[in-house]
Amino acid sequence: MQLTIITPTYNRVRTLERCYQSLCAQTNKDFVWMIVDDGSTDDTQAWVQTKVATGDLTIQYFYKPNGGKGTALNLALDHLTTSYAVCLDSDDIFFPHAVEQALDLLATIVTDSDYCGVIALKSWLDGKVTGDKKLPAQVTAVTAADIFLKYCPQAEVTCFYKTQYLQKQRFPIFPGETMISPAWMQYTVSQTRRFKVCHGQVCGCEYQADGTTNNIRRIIMQNPYSYVAVKRFSFNLSSTWSQRIKHGLCFTYGCLLAQDRSLLQTSQHTLLVYILLPVAKALYWSRTRKEKG
């Protein structure tokens, strides 16, 4: 097998079937599906056992106590044996040619150390790209910063990583926090390398009522150190003043949420952080009052 498709899951047995069916429909099945069960209390384990018994897919299953997506992905990284790896969320699907497209592109950069993998914009299930803005057709190579700070700021992406670069990293885990954005890994791995762009449809998603996007404000407040870890990248890598102010405000707000003033010193733009601090404080008090109310 060339590819490991990693699916971290927590009490999502209701959406795993659709995910599974999309993998069964792949035109290239040169992959293993690694399911990391983050302490589910529903019927996830029994469901996985029935799918393993069918033999339709090569499935690896790992169970761990609940600790959040970052800990689940870190466990997956410990067990990778394939040349490439990608995360497929338990409520997402791969379109039928996803694996084929990705492996074909990865074959063109297999010996090129300038590339860390292949990247594609996520789509809604109807095929429309998330963020409503496509990458220009002439763009063939990008970093995470190019995607989020230049071309498609609102987009979500799917990354097929070369394992040799991905496995060197681990998501930071902060006490009491359970959620960190995959953008942390995307920024980290592409700091010194680029992604080859796949312009085709790869991953389809729809927002769940209990998902990250629909609960983003609460998740940020509950995971401030993780939020700061990601916003530090977007703040430091911003190339325009408008971007720098926007992401600097988010970074500073996150530091206040963490109630750790030492974090204010951890960006490359400390002076701007302190200039933005009064606005960040106003935002902090406004949002915390709403949350308590």
Side-chain angles (χ1 to χ4, degrees):
M1 299 294 181
Q2 292 193 73
L3 173 69
T4 299
I5 299 175
I6 305 167
T7 298
T9 186
Y10 175 69
N11 288 345
R12 282 289 176 84
V13 71
R14 70 185 187 280
T15 62
L16 280 170
E17 180 66 29
R18 185 178 64 184
C19 186
Y20 168 78
Q21 293 297 335
S22 80
L23 296 182
C24 289
Q26 291 301 301
T27 55
N28 185 328
K29 289 192 175 66
D30 194 5
F31 63 85
V32 57
W33 190 22
M34 182 188 292
I35 301 171
V36 182
D37 186 344
D38 190 35
S40 294
T41 57
D42 60 8
D43 295 326
T44 294
Q45 187 169 6
W47 180 89
V48 172
Q49 289 172 347
T50 64
K51 300 307 179 185
V52 171
T54 68
D56 292 335
L57 298 175
T58 301
I59 299 176
Q60 294 177 326
Y61 175 75
F62 297 96
Y63 180 89
K64 60 177 288 297
N66 181 252
K69 188 174 183 179
T71 62
L73 290 171
N74 284 348
L75 186 149
L77 293 178
D78 292 339
H79 291 88
L80 283 181
T81 59
T82 56
S83 298
Y84 310 110
V86 61
C87 178
L88 175 64
D89 288 338
S90 57
D91 53 353
D92 290 347
I93 65 163
F94 273 166
F95 293 110
H97 294 280
V99 172
E100 180 181 355
Q101 289 183 90
L103 289 180
D104 285 350
L105 280 173
L106 286 165
T108 68
I109 58 170
V110 63
T111 60
D112 193 336
S113 60
D114 288 337
Y115 287 93
C116 56
V118 165
I119 196 168
L121 299 185
K122 283 189 176 184
S123 302
W124 303 116
L125 296 182
D126 63 5
K128 188 177 181 180
V129 296
T130 58
D132 298 327
K133 191 175 182 182
K134 293 183 177 181
L135 279 166
Q138 68 272 20
V139 175
T140 59
V142 294
T143 64
D146 291 331
I147 294 283
F148 299 130
L149 301 175
K150 183 178 180 180
Y151 295 118
C152 310
Q154 304 303 317
E156 294 186 40
V157 299
T158 296
C159 297
F160 294 79
Y161 294 96
K162 290 182 177 178
T163 300
Q164 66 190 97
Y165 302 127
L166 177 65
Q167 214 164 24
K168 293 178 181 178
Q169 310 296 334
R170 293 294 184 277
F171 282 95
I173 306 301
F174 302 101
E177 299 192 10
T178 60
M179 182 62 69
I180 185 167
S181 169
W184 183 91
M185 187 65 76
Q186 293 153 8
Y187 276 123
T188 298
V189 175
S190 66
Q191 285 185 96
T192 56
R193 293 178 174 84
R194 297 176 297 166
F195 290 103
K196 186 82 169 179
V197 173
C198 175
H199 289 282
Q201 287 185 336
V202 171
C203 183
C205 60
E206 69 175 0
Y207 291 142
Q208 302 294 316
D210 60 346
T212 301
T213 304
N214 282 344
N215 299 279
I216 188 63
R217 185 171 293 183
R218 176 180 57 79
I219 289 172
I220 289 172
M221 296 187 75
Q222 293 175 350
N223 301 272
Y225 280 93
S226 300
Y227 179 69
V228 168
V230 175
K231 280 301 171 183
R232 185 182 295 113
F233 277 115
S234 55
F235 183 26
N236 288 341
L237 295 171
S238 292
S239 58
T240 67
W241 273 106
S242 60
Q243 284 183 346
R244 195 165 297 165
I245 291 171
K246 172 186 173 182
H247 293 288
L249 181 59
C250 292
F251 170 82
T252 309
Y253 167 69
C255 295
L256 295 176
L257 282 177
Q259 299 184 14
D260 186 347
R261 293 185 68 88
S262 68
L263 290 176
L264 297 171
Q265 305 287 335
T266 60
S267 84
Q268 296 174 4
H269 309 291
T270 306
L271 178 59
L272 181 56
V273 167
Y274 283 99
I275 291 173
L276 293 171
L277 192 56
V279 180
K281 285 182 176 179
L283 181 63
Y284 169 80
W285 288 115
S286 172
R287 290 191 173 177
T288 50
R289 277 201 301 268
K290 286 182 180 178
E291 192 70 17
K292 291 177 181 178

